Amino acid sequence: AGELTSFIATANAPIFGVDTQGLVSEWNVKTEALTGFARSTVVGRSLVDDVLPLDFRERLRQVIDDALKGTEASDFEIALDTLEKTRIDLTLNATSRRDVSGEL
């Protein structure tokens, strides 16, 4: 588990994740650098309601709901607004996190 945590934290790609309630649980260094938002300011907040621009909320809400049911998505596009009020476009994959027994 420690290796995965270290990989996520230091990856040279933006990695962020949510828990089963849609609250941000992962927000790595690259995501901080791209958005300007420190991990401490977004973890525990709703990714859909608090972090995403309004025009992408419904799309990502559906992708997250599907991932929580085990249906993963690849190559879908969203945008994030940065701390400086500019918009960055991201192409994402949504994967379900499973425990060692394969449970979501």
Side-chain angles (χ1 to χ4, degrees), residues 4-42:
L4 178 60
T5 301
S6 178
F7 170 76
I8 290 171
T10 60
N12 193 26
I15 298 175
F16 51 91
V18 297
D19 63 16
T20 56
Q21 271 78 59
L23 303 180
V24 175
S25 58
E26 300 287 348
W27 191 265
N28 75 346
V29 172
K30 187 65 171 184
T31 308
E32 284 184 337
L34 287 172
T35 66
F37 292 106
R39 182 180 198 281
S40 62
T41 65
V42 294

Side-chain angles (χ1 to χ4, degrees), residues 90-102:
L90 299 173
T91 301
L92 302 177
N93 296 323
T95 58
S96 305
R97 184 177 262 184
R98 300 174 187 274
D99 63 21
V100 292
S101 65

